[in-house]
Amino acid sequence: RSASLNDIPQIEASGLIYLPDLNRFLLISDETKQMAPVLYLMDHDGVIRSKTRIRGIDAIDDMEAICTDASGNIFLACSQSRKRDGTLPDNRKILAKIKRTGTDFKVLKRCYLSDLLKNAAGKNRDAQWARFIKSGDIEIEGMFYDRQDLYLGFKKPLKDGRAVILRIREIEKALEENRIRPDRVDIRWELDLRSDDSNTGAGISDLLFHDNRLYVLFRAGKKGCRAGMLRIFDAEGILMEEYGFGN
């Protein structure tokens, strides 16, 4: 729900992080009016109190993933997936590193992530990660940063029915050079997200890595319904806990 501010609509959230100095959650949506680079600040009651724009981006479409590094810089990624008409415009390919000062958000670096991944995959065709990237239209919905590396969680494609988390090592260098070196990419985890009563694999909806545990949100097909699921894995990808919610 939104606050009683006329210019803040009901929105579909696609990711959020917590900003302790503001005591607010920073919320992104995969749809904004006229593809504006808008971010929302939400309180602990789930009420959007204000919104702001990202300086350095004119238009952005399908924002799906957000995380922070150890210094508080923000990484924001679009889905990298094609639109319904089959096109993939540049404003859906964006990966941006953003510096925040209070409620001011300014782009430090940006790239067209899917272009860089596909270019790198073309230079190392035999690698498992490269075959995965080339296996179909990609769609990223989760992301986290850990020790200079960026991890991407894919809704699609699946790899042998499993959801993939790709690691790009030294992401800062990739942004500086505007290229991803093939030897800096690998598949870090392949996760079986099937439910007990379904043989249908599921893709990742969101990701968090905390205290050496991997938290994975997804939607599982269960007897005609689509139930939200949270699975918690250890650092080796072994399932530890599972929770279900919704229909």
Side-chain angles (χ1 to χ4, degrees), residues 17-218:
I17 56 175
Y18 182 60
L19 306 178
D21 59 311
L22 300 180
N23 195 28
R24 289 286 186 267
F25 294 94
L26 182 68
L27 188 73
I28 60 172
S29 174
D30 52 9
E31 291 186 1
T32 59
K33 188 175 181 181
Q34 298 179 334
M35 294 181 287
V38 172
L39 305 172
Y40 301 92
L41 291 168
M42 183 180 76
D43 67 17
H44 287 265
D45 294 321
V47 178
I48 295 171
R49 293 299 184 184
S50 62
K51 67 178 183 177
T52 186
R53 294 175 68 97
I54 306 168
R55 293 195 291 125
I57 297 178
D58 294 326
I60 192 167
D61 188 24
D62 208 19
M63 291 183 281
E64 286 287 359
I66 188 169
C67 65
T68 58
D69 66 14
S71 299
N73 295 310
I74 295 167
F75 287 87
L76 188 152
C78 297
S79 68
Q80 319 295 311
S81 66
R82 295 185 180 277
K83 298 174 69 174
R84 291 180 182 178
D85 63 6
T87 62
L88 180 55
D90 286 346
N91 56 28
R92 290 175 74 95
K93 302 177 186 176
I94 292 171
L95 169 69
K97 178 184 176 182
I98 299 166
K99 179 178 176 60
R100 180 180 71 90
T101 305
T103 57
D104 179 72
F105 298 82
K106 179 183 178 181
V107 171
L108 296 177
K109 296 287 181 181
R110 56 182 285 187
C111 70
Y112 296 137
L113 178 58
S114 60
D115 289 350
L116 299 191
L117 283 171
K118 289 171 184 177
N119 288 340
K123 298 175 182 178
N124 192 5
R125 298 175 184 273
D126 293 332
Q128 285 193 21
W129 76 265
R131 292 199 297 269
F132 167 76
I133 289 294
K134 289 181 168 293
S135 66
D137 184 28
I138 65 174
E139 184 170 357
I140 295 167
E141 289 211 356
M143 178 172 65
F144 69 86
Y145 179 99
D146 185 52
R147 290 177 288 186
Q148 301 184 13
D149 301 339
L150 193 67
Y151 294 77
L152 306 173
F154 288 80
K155 181 178 180 180
K156 65 179 184 180
L158 301 179
K159 184 177 182 293
D160 300 322
R162 293 171 175 260
V164 167
I165 299 176
L166 200 72
R167 173 172 57 184
I168 304 174
R169 294 190 295 276
E170 298 180 302
I171 187 62
E172 304 284 357
K173 289 185 179 179
L175 289 171
E176 288 287 343
E177 298 171 356
N178 196 32
R179 67 169 175 148
I180 294 174
R181 298 185 183 184
D183 61 351
R184 290 180 180 165
V185 187
D186 65 328
I187 294 176
R188 179 62 183 88
W189 289 283
E190 295 178 30
L191 302 176
D192 186 351
L193 300 182
R194 292 174 297 179
S195 56
D196 291 340
D197 56 358
S198 173
N199 288 321
T200 303
I204 292 166
S205 296
D206 212 344
L207 278 181
L208 174 68
F209 190 70
H210 180 67
D211 285 345
N212 224 29
R213 290 189 176 189
L214 182 65
Y215 296 76
V216 180
L217 281 172
F218 65 101

